[in-house]
Structure formats: structure tokens, C-alpha cells
Amino acid sequence: MGAQPDGRNGGEVTQLLRAWSDGEADAFDRVLPLVYEELHRMAARYLVGERSTVSLQTTALINEVCVRLLGWDPVRWQNREHFFGVSARMMRRVLVDIARRRRAERRGGPNAVRVPLDGIDVAASEPTADLLAVDAALQLLAAEDSRKAQVVELRFFGGLSVEETAEALGISVRTVHTDWALARAWLYRTLKAAHAE
């Protein structure tokens, strides 16, 4: 499920995000209840395959993202899609940090944190991939084509629709469809090659 289109409270969310950007400290406290349900859905999506290996609950992941957002230098929020895109990136970073700590502890043992990739249409024979491998692949993709990497982050990790992704990135819906298809194919090849090594 993606972020809901601007509707009953969409305009209010955008206004509050912009007020927060302008230094109104209490704007974050007012916007959080309006975005919490969507943040919860995003966090649950991230954690769907992690329950047995990550000692982090959905609420704890959201709390960690909020702490990191509040600790950031002021961001010029464009709209709610921009907020959810950044939040998705923060969730990914939190889980990658946890995976790196666990890998350091276990030295890459069989219990490494894994994340499902069915949302990006990898073959059924490869239903999961190591979160660190996904992160490394996305970093490589970002170095080659940052827009395609942003599309993956917003669509797969952020759960935004094609239309919301287009709006957040300021590109056409057709471009999102094209980037999404090419990025999925690229990630599949990259992850398959890494798995074969």
C-alpha cells in the first residue's frame, strides 16, 4: 500500500512539513499523527521478513526514524511524498545498520538478516536476498543512475504508487514505469551475480 494521495489531510501535511522546514518546532508534533499510520505500514513492510532475525518492532523502527529526522539539518520538505521517500530511506538505513552490526558479530553466518524482494519481481526461485546485498546493489545503481535508484526506493521501500513517485521526482508516469522496469531487471541481474559468487 502506498502513501495516500493528497486528500482530506494531504494539504495539511504538506503545510505542516513546510512549517517544520521553516523552523516551527511544534509542526513535527502536529504532523506526526497525520503520517503515523502510513509510516506504520511502511515499517511493517520493511520488517515483514525480519521477525526472526531483527529484534526491532514496527513502533521502534518508526521511533528511530523520527529521532533521525529530528536530528537532521533542516530539510526543505516539498510535499508528503518527499517526506515518505526520505522516511523510507531512513528505515532502510536503520535496518542496514542493524544488519551490519549483526554481520560483524556473526561474520556473515547463515543467520544474516534477509529481506524479501518479491515486491521487485525477482524470480520465484530467489524469494529473498541479503539486506546488505540489496543496499550495496542500490548504491551501485545510484552511482550509475540515481533517478532509477530513487524510483526503487520510493516504489519498493516507500510503497509509493507510480503516480506518487512521478510527483515526488518531478517526472512523468511513463518515465517511472520505464525506470522501474529497467531498475528491477538491473537489480535482479546484480543480486543474482552476487549470489553466485
Side-chain angles (χ1 to χ4, degrees):
M1 279 183 228
Q4 298 302 310
D6 270 8
R8 188 169 49 87
N9 67 5
E12 184 181 0
V13 168
T14 297
Q15 287 177 346
L16 287 170
L17 288 170
R18 289 179 179 162
W20 180 24
S21 294
D22 291 336
E24 291 183 33
D26 70 327
F28 180 80
D29 295 334
R30 289 184 291 152
V31 79
L32 188 58
L34 301 176
V35 298
Y36 189 84
E37 186 178 326
E38 183 61 30
L39 287 174
H40 194 277
R41 277 195 294 268
M42 288 169 58
R45 180 177 179 151
Y46 265 102
L47 293 171
V48 71
E50 317 272 337
R51 297 292 181 206
S52 62
T53 54
V54 176
S55 59
L56 189 66
Q57 298 297 317
T58 305
T59 303
L61 179 54
I62 295 169
N63 290 342
E64 180 62 24
V65 167
C66 288
V67 166
R68 291 186 184 204
L69 287 171
L70 287 169
W72 252 22
D73 289 332
V75 177
R76 189 76 219 154
W77 297 110
Q78 299 166 17
N79 51 35
R80 68 194 311 275
E81 286 78 16
H82 181 215
F83 173 80
F84 287 123
V86 170
S87 297
R89 185 172 298 143
M90 290 281 191
M91 287 182 192
R92 180 175 145 223
R93 295 282 12 125
V94 169
L95 292 177
V96 166
D97 290 347
I98 291 170
R100 284 192 176 126
R101 280 196 302 271
R102 287 185 178 264
R103 178 158 287 175
E105 292 168 8
R106 295 181 181 148
R107 299 182 183 209
N111 295 322
V113 178
R114 302 180 76 75
V115 63
L117 285 180
D118 54 335
I120 56 172
D121 294 342
V122 291
S125 61
E126 290 285 328
T128 63
D130 182 21
L131 179 60
L132 294 177
V134 172
D135 183 62
L138 275 175
Q139 288 180 36
L140 288 173
L141 178 59
E144 286 189 25
D145 192 322
S146 63
R147 191 184 69 209
K148 286 185 180 67
Q150 288 177 308
V151 166
V152 171
E153 236 169 17
L154 292 172
R155 294 276 292 124
F156 179 62
F157 293 108
L160 269 62
S161 70
V162 170
E163 293 77 13
E164 290 164 340
T165 301
E167 182 180 340
L169 297 178
I171 58 178
S172 71
V173 167
R174 183 175 181 168
T175 300
V176 172
H177 279 296
T178 302
D179 283 357
W180 179 235
L182 293 172
R184 287 183 305 178
W186 189 94
L187 284 169
Y188 174 69
R189 286 192 307 272
T190 302
L191 292 167
K192 188 174 180 182
H195 182 70
E197 290 176 359

